[in-house]
Amino acid sequence: MQEFDTPVLDNHLHLDPDHGRGVEAVKDFARSGGTHLLVVNKPSWLLGHEVETGADFRPVFETTIDVVRGASELLDGRAWPVLGVHPGLVSKLVDDRGFDPEDAHDLMCAGLDTAAEFVRAGDALALKSGRPHYDVTDAVWEASNDVLKHGLELAADCDCALQLHTESTTDLSDVASWADERGLPRERVVKHYAQGHLVGGTPSVMSDRDRLEVAAERGDPFLMETDFIDDPDRPGAVMGPKTVPRRVDWMLEEGYDAAVRNAHVETPALVYDIDTEATLDR
Ligand SMILES: [Zn+2]
């Protein structure tokens, strides 16, 4: 059982209690020294839901809220849900179910509206949206950006952060200016699966050593994540739940103490208004 003198937060992972390891993965994280988790709901179609309305997202979100409750009981710190609509849904709707992009946009915005209800009720910490990371038609790209803008608007209205799944880039200036227009502070725009630096938002850096070194050397606000997907059919597809604590161990050995404080105390406070030290119960 590893324990650090600092909170250790994985800013983006998934837990699937029905098909994956669920809280067993949380035990691995906790035993390795992890203390706090932001758990993002799995894409609706991977949980077997063929959504028709915004309300159909409710059971998807409730699955995440339930597993977060179980995770919090196991952690020295706690877990929080992050709820939203995966941007890949647009292609499922348009390519597989015959939606036109405009109708796909409406359904995805309705899903985000449902997620925002949970944030307003205090049952979720932040929202999640984005746009495809693969090539799409202009109409689908435009519809996706309009969904993303709706996400920014909801985040501004709920006074919360918005995690984004986007194309691979280190420049989200376009999104940051849309955030400005809607009154959402740009540090609350969090790019998931990020490189070690980002223009226009806060990077949630994938926890490989090269990327973390870049983030640590720069000293800008950043978060750390694994994007663990908890999918038994794709065991090697992503980093495992022990990765963030292991990388923290390595960073402390390398003398990156300030970067550890940045990613696990200061940036979580800046972005989500959470106190990872006060919520640590040892
Ligand atoms: Zn993810």
Side-chain angles (χ1 to χ4, degrees):
M1 181 94 194
Q2 170 75 280
E3 206 171 283
F4 300 104
D5 289 331
T6 170
V8 173
L9 166 75
D10 189 330
N11 180 61
H12 181 117
L13 93 171
H14 306 272
L15 296 171
D16 185 343
D18 299 326
H19 315 97
R21 299 185 59 217
V23 290
E24 290 304 313
V26 179
K27 288 181 189 167
D28 276 354
F29 175 73
R31 273 195 289 262
S32 312
T35 60
H36 293 78
L37 291 173
L38 263 58
V39 183
V40 183
N41 63 273
K42 298 239 316 187
S44 48
W45 65 90
L46 288 179
L47 295 181
H49 295 276
E50 187 156 295
V51 289
E52 312 270 357
T53 67
D56 291 345
F57 287 89
R58 216 160 241 289
V60 177
F61 299 152
E62 279 162 355
T63 299
T64 302
I65 290 169
D66 281 348
V67 76
V68 160
R69 210 171 284 134
S72 283
E73 280 169 21
L74 292 169
L75 293 167
D76 284 344
R78 58 164 295 186
W80 290 273
V82 175
L83 303 180
V85 178
H86 194 284
L89 180 59
V90 73
S91 300
K92 299 277 165 198
L93 295 174
V94 171
D95 299 344
D96 301 349
R97 290 174 58 194
F99 278 58
D100 60 47
E102 191 52 36
D103 291 336
H105 159 273
D106 292 350
L107 177 54
M108 293 171 76
C109 287
L112 283 172
D113 290 341
T114 301
E117 285 172 26
F118 286 93
V119 175
R120 286 194 195 97
D123 293 326
L125 180 67
L127 294 169
K128 153 94 194 286
S129 180
R131 60 190 180 195
H133 62 271
Y134 46 87
D135 276 340
V136 292
T137 63
D138 289 349
V140 166
W141 183 248
E142 207 174 297
S144 298
N145 273 323
D146 286 345
V147 173
L148 194 165
K149 289 172 186 169
H150 186 65
L152 293 167
E153 210 157 286
L154 289 171
D157 186 57
C158 295
D159 196 20
C160 74
L162 180 69
Q163 286 199 10
L164 291 180
H165 172 113
T166 72
E167 74 280 14
S168 176
T169 179
T170 55
D171 186 353
L172 282 182
S173 302
D174 57 343
V175 176
S177 68
W178 301 336
D180 292 345
E181 287 163 18
R182 288 161 182 81
L184 181 69
R186 36 174 82 189
E187 66 268 16
R188 294 202 132 176
V189 176
V190 178
K191 183 184 179 348
H192 129 77
Y193 218 97
Q195 307 281 329
H197 71 106
L198 177 71
V199 176
T202 302
S204 179
V205 179
M206 276 299 274
S207 294
D208 63 53
R209 288 183 180 82
D210 292 346
R211 294 188 192 204
L212 292 173
E213 214 153 30
V214 171
E217 294 287 344
R218 288 180 70 92
D220 297 335
F222 76 103
L223 297 153
M224 287 170 61
E225 69 163 73
T226 54
D227 196 21
F228 174 63
I229 52 172
D230 201 12
D231 184 340
D233 297 332
R234 298 172 62 204
V238 285
M239 293 175 175
K242 298 175 185 169
T243 310
V244 168
R246 282 179 174 168
R247 293 296 180 265
V248 165
D249 195 27
W250 167 76
M251 289 164 78
L252 294 171
E253 264 170 39
E254 297 288 308
Y256 288 128
D257 301 60
V260 169
R261 191 165 174 82
N262 177 348
H264 299 278
V265 178
E266 293 163 359
T267 304
L270 174 76
V271 170
Y272 300 110
D273 204 17
I274 56 176
D275 188 334
T276 53
E277 290 177 313
T279 47
L280 202 51
D281 158 40
R282 280 181 174 151

